[in-house]
Amino acid sequence: MSVTSVTGLLKASLVTLLFAVSAFADESVLSRVPDRKTEPFPRIQVDKLIVMPNPVGHGDWVDAIKDAKKSLHIVMYHITEKVMIDALIARAEDKNLDMRIIVDTKLTGGYKRAFDSLVAAGVQVRPGSKAFTLTHNKAMVIDGKSAFISTINLTNTLNSRDYGIVTPDRAIIDEMEAMFE
């Protein structure tokens, strides 16, 4: 992948992040979102580029969930992929882990069944704000140290073309964590 492609991907991912922040933000958070007409995109450190489809499926996400020590905060359109649900349910048993998940408000069919199975297992999951027509972000913060920002759906769509990045960028993590305060 060329540097230009990666730069474009990072800019698109940052825009996705800013949209994600606004999905649950109150006025104080929204006032901190930069005006992209006047402020350039900052440079950020990227630890990993995730490309889908991937022969190991959502392995990067599952591994991060399994390795979380203190906190696991996810904002995701929907979560229906069995391996993801199993990983989250397994972590629900760890009462020392601050695990919170926000999904889209439209919970029907398979989305509702997946949501209900997570709730029944003790996962702290809730629908997003009804103030927005759609919660379409796909992001995760692990231990307040590592942020996943992506276009990747954690559903059974393992054959779709998607990208994601993993970054330790403090400003991005702080904005993402504000959704959970």
Side-chain angles (χ1 to χ4, degrees):
M1 180 175 287
S2 72
V3 171
T4 304
S5 298
V6 170
T7 302
L9 173 64
L10 295 178
K11 287 180 181 180
S13 295
L14 188 54
V15 169
T16 300
L17 166 67
L18 294 174
F19 174 76
V21 168
S22 68
F24 294 96
D26 60 23
E27 290 298 320
S28 65
V29 174
L30 288 177
S31 67
R32 295 193 317 259
V33 175
D35 178 357
R36 289 294 158 222
K37 293 178 184 171
T38 60
E39 297 178 45
F41 283 95
R43 295 200 178 267
I44 63 170
Q45 177 182 335
V46 174
D47 288 347
K48 183 166 191 158
L49 173 66
I50 303 168
V51 179
M52 295 294 286
N54 185 320
V56 296
H58 295 111
D60 293 301
W61 294 79
V62 171
D63 290 346
I65 289 167
K66 288 179 179 178
D67 293 342
K69 305 287 185 254
K70 296 178 184 175
S71 63
L72 172 60
H73 298 156
I74 300 173
V75 181
M76 188 61 53
Y77 176 57
H78 290 293
I79 303 171
T80 59
E81 176 64 32
K82 183 175 177 0
V83 69
M84 293 300 303
I85 292 170
D86 291 347
L88 293 168
I89 288 172
R91 292 311 312 265
E93 297 171 6
D94 183 350
K95 300 306 177 196
N96 294 317
L97 181 68
D98 173 24
M99 180 167 53
R100 292 182 268 169
I101 302 171
I102 300 169
V103 296
D104 189 55
T105 58
K106 294 170 189 70
L107 295 170
T108 59
Y111 301 136
K112 175 85 168 103
R113 284 188 296 280
F115 180 88
D116 290 345
S117 70
L118 290 169
V119 169
V123 175
Q124 187 179 343
V125 58
R126 67 176 175 88
S129 171
K130 292 189 184 235
F132 301 96
T133 57
L134 185 65
T135 299
H136 202 251
N137 19 338
K138 291 109 176 168
M140 175 171 71
V141 177
I142 303 293
D143 296 331
K145 296 178 181 176
S146 185
F148 283 55
I149 305 165
S150 77
T151 62
I152 300 167
N153 288 299
L154 298 182
T155 61
N156 57 1
T157 56
L158 293 175
N159 63 342
S160 68
R161 170 57 86 198
D162 289 294
Y163 295 96
I165 62 167
V166 180
T167 180
D169 187 275
R170 186 79 258 150
I172 290 173
I173 290 169
D174 289 347
E175 286 294 332
M176 291 173 71
E177 292 284 66
M179 288 182 279
F180 295 91
E181 294 174 357

